Amino acid sequence: MTAEAEIFYDFKGLQCPLPVLKTRKKLQDLSAGDRIRIETTDPLSPLDIAHFCQSEGHILLEQQNEGRVFHFLIQKG
């Protein structure tokens, strides 16, 4: 996969800690620089995903919310 490619995962409906655990699992198979876009509805996701990225060396490129849906774009570090 190239650095420009993005993969989308829908984690809506999953509660903490599942969005972070599933994000970690999806990133394991990717190369540094690859990106994934995820959506969640867990209200703790903004804090959890930001902390996960910081502690694991990934880059949180975008973070937005539309009502109760949170959108993240993460680049594997």
Side-chain angles (χ1 to χ4, degrees):
M1 190 164 119
T2 66
E4 290 80 27
E6 290 179 12
I7 302 172
F8 172 74
Y9 295 104
D10 182 349
F11 297 148
K12 294 189 296 282
L14 300 178
Q15 296 300 310
C16 181
L18 289 176
V20 168
L21 295 176
K22 289 190 174 283
T23 298
R24 177 182 286 131
K25 183 173 174 64
K26 299 298 185 185
L27 285 168
Q28 286 176 347
D29 296 331
L30 302 179
S31 301
D34 288 346
R35 297 175 178 188
I36 64 171
R37 187 173 296 275
I38 64 170
E39 288 184 355
T40 70
T41 51
D42 179 11
L44 295 178
S45 290
L47 294 173
D48 292 343
I49 295 293
H51 177 34
F52 162 73
C53 289
Q54 183 179 20
S55 65
E56 300 279 329
H58 305 303
I59 302 168
L60 182 56
L61 298 171
E62 292 178 16
Q63 178 178 328
Q64 300 175 338
N65 71 298
E66 293 177 16
R68 295 182 178 185
V69 178
F70 301 95
H71 307 270
F72 304 94
L73 177 61
I74 301 167
Q75 181 174 317
K76 182 170 181 172

